[in-house]
Amino acid sequence: MPRIVLLTPTLDASGAEKQLTLLATRLPGAGFEPHVVTLPRGGPYERTLAEAGVPVTHLGKKYRVDPWAFGRLRGLLRELRPDVLHTWMFTANGYGRLAATKGGPKVVVSERCVDSWKGRLRRGLDRALIGRTDLLVGNSRPVADFYEQLGYDGAKVRVVPNAVEAPDDASRTVEAKAAVRAELGLGDGPVIGTFGRLAAQKRVDELLWAMHLLKQVDPRVTLLVVGDGPERARLERLAAGWEVTPHSRFLGHVDDAARLWPACDVAWLASGFEGMSNSLMEAMAAGLPVVASDIPANRELVEEGVTGRIVPLGDSVAFTKTTRRLLEDPAAAAALGTAARARMRARYGVDAMAAAYAEIYREVLGGAQKPIATG
């Protein structure tokens, strides 16, 4: 059975780590032996991996450039002798490709975002490591395009979309919605949800201003903000300054946050760039109408007017107006949510994602005769 080492910075409860965990727990069923390796430490998803019998090793990286962790990684690769080293995100992508020796494992690199944040040094490192990359996998076409423009040969670039676990129909009942709202102490007014890391990329400040406008129309409305990050303190100050605090709930990090979507009537995502948003996919899988910023990754998931609504990037007023129309027309909102849920179930299942990666592993190991089409 081919052995796959999946190298990641951490196992924090974030989008890329969730996708890695979903994949690792399915690989044994696809005929592969997974072993997860983290650079500095583990995280909440380590428990899920342990329950599935997937071994995890921590390298204890302490410094940005840590030669001791690098040495431990090289030693572990010699010990495990994996057939494929599959790295995830910038730091692991760098350490992994440098540690993989000639004649060692095939190297598959996962890129999870349109990384416009990368400066000259990081882009230079990415280019320098192209020769050590057997295949690069983006989680959306925009991500793949970004790295092809950086210099990667399109023949060695694949797209495997993120996967989402669609909740069962029992989570969509009136009773289930009431139970989640009661747990959170929410009333019966409209609830808008935005879930994700509170970083500048997510542009949550624009959503707070949209709430400032929306509460003028319906003072019962509440914005549910689920997630934590470096922007949280600033966002809470903005909410107070714009008199949105009585209409917003900052819950911070919540384990299994997807179970809270049934409390919401509409989902918002204002991001300036994404790879493929897990929170957007989870909201759609929960059958919610979504309002999302007009960026390529969101357009790949949301068909305007069919599975959700797309509004101009940075336009808080458009978020407000579009959401108001959805709240005033429950039938139209429900139709969008039903179509979104059907799209997630049909195209973005976990088994399909695992099968696509299994085919990639077979390809780099010489078992595939032609490039695979995914996404």
Side-chain angles (χ1 to χ4, degrees), residues 248-320:
S248 59
R249 294 280 303 280
F250 286 80
L251 296 187
H253 170 74
V254 176
D255 289 333
D256 191 19
R259 70 181 181 80
L260 303 182
W261 279 121
C264 303
D265 298 289
V266 177
W268 278 353
L269 182 71
S271 296
F273 59 92
E274 288 281 353
M276 181 170 279
S277 168
N278 285 275
S279 66
L280 183 60
M281 296 176 75
E282 288 171 355
M284 295 173 73
L288 285 177
V290 300
V291 183
S293 53
D294 189 3
I295 60 174
N298 291 345
R299 289 197 302 272
E300 192 165 313
L301 290 172
V302 180
E303 183 179 354
E304 162 59 20
V306 178
T307 60
R309 298 300 310 273
I310 294 289
V311 298
L313 178 64
D315 193 339
S316 297
V317 174
F319 270 94
T320 301

Side-chain angles (χ1 to χ4, degrees), residues 156 224 272 324 342 367-368:
K156 292 188 174 183
L224 194 62
R324 179 182 178 183

Side-chain angles (χ1 to χ4, degrees), residues 76-158:
L76 184 64
L77 292 177
R78 286 194 297 268
E79 175 188 340
L80 295 178
R81 298 175 60 86
D83 299 278
V84 176
L85 172 63
H86 184 174
T87 67
W88 296 63
M89 297 179 287
F90 176 75
T91 303
N93 291 344
Y95 271 74
R97 285 183 285 188
L98 289 170
T101 56
K102 187 175 181 180
K106 299 293 184 180
V107 178
V108 174
V109 169
S110 274
E111 294 290 359
R112 317 303 300 172
C113 193
V114 177
D115 289 322
S116 53
W117 60 271
K118 287 183 177 177
R120 182 179 300 177
L121 180 61
R122 288 181 171 85
R123 293 191 188 206
L125 180 59
D126 279 335
R127 290 191 185 97
L129 294 175
I130 289 175
R132 292 174 171 263
T133 309
D134 290 286
L135 279 181
L136 181 143
V137 183
N139 60 347
S140 68
R141 188 67 249 171
V143 172
D145 291 342
F146 178 88
Y147 281 93
E148 287 182 25
Q149 292 166 9
L150 197 66
Y152 286 81
D153 181 354
K156 292 188 174 183
V157 175
R158 303 286 180 269

